[in-house]
Amino acid sequence: MNEFRRDPVSWIVRRGAPAAALIALIALAIRIAIHGLTNDDTFFHLRIGDEFLRGRWDLDEPGSLTSYGTRDWVPTQWLSEVVMAGAEDLAGTGGIVWLFGTIFVAYALTLYAVARISAPPIVAILVAGAAFVGSGGGLSARPQVMSYLFAALVTAAWLGTMRDGRVRWWIIPLTWLWAMLHGMWPVAIVISAVGAVGVVADRRPERGQALRILSLPLLALVAAFLTPLGPRLVVEILTVTSRGKYFFEWGPTDFHAFQPAVLVLLLAISLIAMLRAGPARWTHLLLLLLAGAWALYALRTIPLAAAIAAPCAALALGELAPKGPRIDRRGALTLVALGAAASAVLAFLSSGAHTVGPDRPDWADAELDKLPAATGVLNAWDWGGYLAWRHPDLDFVVSGYGDVFTTGELDRNVALTEAHHGWLDDLEGLHVEVALLAPDSDLAYGLEHTAGWTVVRSSDEMVLLHAPE
């Protein structure tokens, strides 16, 4: 209070405004979580996790969400999925809301913490807020959020090594854990390789120390190979990545959209600040350029780019800001306490009503519940995850989980969904007699007016059709 009385404006800028903004950022993370479970991918992760949790599937030979997907796949996110299924077991869908709300809050606080290492509070919260908003497109109840959090930590670790020369060996066990949580774990290797080269270029250590620094990315890769799935993880990641054309989020980044535009602004300001501060250090420059490369790569990697950009931006802007104390043990404990408090609030809020699944009429689940087990159902692509989770005894044709489909089956799914040339032949090969689709879709129109299917139930959101006798 004495500081406030002496210079209230300075106190507001240095302490009051950053603290209020941090609380607002936490509130934003909570709001995103309690909006509900609306991303269809959430549900196939829950279904897969439940299969592993109950012992019905094995890591070496997992089953499939559908008999219409016959690819031999590798479960690259099995640990996250088991944790998700366990949370659902304990507290229903509210447990998932709480779990990912807590992760969202942890991600926001991590962005702030890694920014505070290099920048004063006002700069750190601006950087953290921009990075969190830039990540917005990826903030849903999916394992990928852990990849964003870990990417920020690994980037900050290499910037720390740039400053003091101390190698953060904890990146190796972190990569081991990451490789069981989400398929973006190779990002740890990429960041570490870039960071190691930059540190060697900046610090010019003796040969032995240089080799130790450069060995970390290789040792992290070895750690990933020591997970239960071993080297198969690499083959699976390369295979899945090569099929990006089938999925919107792997498409090119639209920099006219809000989140990518925020990220570009953050990167541009950071680069300008870096150049103004004097000769750029290689580690800093290379990691910032890596963030830019991920931003250019695909829409899906925009949040990843934001996570990497946060500590880089804070370092660039922090060098132009007035010097002052950076985050210390007390500050870190304060962030932990804030995270725990936010998690407690989420535990209360998640017990209330929240959205689960796509917009649908009351009759949709009831009609599907009437169908005999193993009935094949032709469904809309965007509902495949929810339907496989809510009706695990039925056999849905299409799902957003492309890992379980061969390339030919993905081509078939696209042809059916968009009623492309040859879709009637594909339909005949499926031997399905029920369809649940969007009423304004090309496929629903084709089934009714070309294939002679009958509309049984209809609403603004869904139409249920039966095949002709």
Side-chain angles (χ1 to χ4, degrees):
M1 290 301 296
N2 289 335
E3 181 183 353
F4 176 76
R5 290 170 181 168
R6 286 195 305 270
D7 190 349
V9 174
S10 176
W11 184 90
I12 290 171
V13 171
R14 294 178 60 249
R15 296 180 181 273
L22 181 59
I23 297 299
L25 184 60
I26 293 171
L28 175 61
I30 293 174
R31 181 182 178 185
I32 292 172
I34 63 173
H35 178 67
L37 306 176
T38 57
N39 189 297
D40 191 64
D41 291 6
T42 299
F43 299 100
F44 61 64
H45 288 302
L46 287 171
R47 167 70 187 280
I48 293 169
D50 187 67
E51 298 290 351
F52 286 126
L53 191 64
R54 309 292 176 200
R56 293 189 291 263
W57 287 7
D58 182 82
L59 288 179
D60 292 326
E61 295 183 4
S64 182
L65 296 172
T66 170
S67 68
Y68 301 100
T70 60
R71 179 175 173 269
D72 291 330
W73 62 289
V74 177
T76 57
Q77 306 165 73
W78 64 271
L79 183 56
S80 291
E81 290 162 341
V82 169
V83 171
M84 290 172 67
E88 185 194 4
D89 253 10
L90 290 173
T93 55
I96 305 302
V97 172
W98 171 82
L99 173 65
F100 278 92
T102 300
I103 294 173
F104 296 165
V105 170
Y107 177 51
L109 291 173
T110 297
L111 291 173
Y112 179 74
V114 298
R116 278 288 287 120
I117 294 171
S118 306
I122 189 65
V123 173
I125 190 56
L126 289 173
V127 167
F132 190 81
V133 170
S135 305
L139 297 178
S140 60
R142 301 165 66 186
Q144 63 191 29
V145 185
M146 291 303 300
S147 286
Y148 310 154
L149 192 157
F150 286 170
L153 289 175
V154 174
T155 303
W158 282 105
L159 291 175
T161 302
M162 176 193 72
R163 284 188 291 264
D164 59 24
R166 185 166 53 87
V167 181
R168 273 63 175 178
W169 296 108
W170 53 259
I171 293 173
I172 296 171
L174 181 75
T175 305
W176 176 81
L177 176 62
W178 192 345
M180 296 182 285
L181 291 173
H182 188 245
M184 281 186 178
W185 63 268
V187 170
I189 313 298
V190 175
I191 295 173
S192 294
V194 170
V197 170
V199 168
V200 170
D202 284 326
R203 300 188 66 86
R204 301 187 179 278
E206 295 181 358
R207 182 178 179 182
Q209 177 65 359
L211 290 176
R212 283 192 291 273
I213 293 170
L214 293 170
S215 73
L216 193 149
L218 294 175
L219 293 174
L221 181 61
V222 171
F225 286 174
L226 295 177
T227 63
L229 294 173
R232 288 182 295 162
L233 281 172
V234 174
V235 177
E236 184 71 1
I237 295 300
L238 293 174
T239 301
V240 171
T241 303
S242 70
R243 306 153 117 226
K245 66 178 183 178
Y246 296 102
F247 304 97
F248 172 77
E249 64 183 5
W250 281 109
T253 303
D254 177 9
F255 288 102
H256 295 96
F258 180 65
Q259 284 99 347
V262 170
L263 175 59
V264 168
L265 181 62
L266 179 63
L267 290 170
I269 292 174
S270 303
L271 185 59
I272 293 170
M274 179 191 298
L275 296 176
R276 286 196 61 185
R281 285 169 285 186
W282 280 110
T283 310
H284 190 190
L285 177 61
L286 290 174
L287 288 172
L288 189 63
L289 291 175
L290 179 62
W294 285 122
L296 291 169
Y297 182 67
L299 181 63
R300 179 177 170 85
T301 53
I302 283 290
L304 187 65
I308 296 171
C312 296
L315 177 58
L317 295 169
E319 291 180 346
L320 298 180
K323 303 301 179 185
R326 300 310 189 227
I327 193 168
D328 54 14
R329 178 182 175 85
R330 180 180 177 184
L333 290 175
T334 300
L335 294 182
V336 172
L338 281 173
S343 185
V345 171
L346 276 160
F348 172 75
L349 295 176
S350 63
S351 62
H354 50 267
T355 303
V356 177
D359 292 335
R360 60 195 183 279
D362 294 336
W363 53 259
D365 288 318
E367 289 288 344
L368 293 176
D369 285 335
K370 296 176 185 178
L371 298 175
T375 297
V377 180
L378 180 57
N379 60 286
W381 193 304
D382 293 342
W383 306 335
Y386 170 78
L387 295 172
W389 168 77
R390 173 61 177 78
H391 304 278
D393 55 325
L394 300 180
D395 198 9
F396 296 96
V397 175
V398 182
S399 166
Y401 197 60
D403 298 27
V404 302
F405 296 102
T406 65
T407 301
E409 289 163 350
L410 287 171
D411 287 331
R412 176 204 65 201
N413 292 349
V414 171
L416 281 168
T417 301
E418 300 180 3
H420 284 174
H421 176 73
W423 73 272
L424 284 170
D425 293 332
D426 289 327
L427 176 66
E428 185 177 348
L430 295 176
H431 305 293
V432 292
E433 297 183 353
V434 180
L436 185 68
L437 304 165
D440 59 350
S441 65
D442 292 337
L443 182 54
Y445 181 89
L447 289 178
E448 181 180 2
H449 296 283
T450 303
W453 286 47
T454 302
V455 174
V456 178
R457 300 292 298 267
S458 182
S459 72
D460 291 341
E461 301 92 0
M462 294 182 174
V463 58
L464 182 69
L465 302 101
H466 283 184
E469 297 292 339

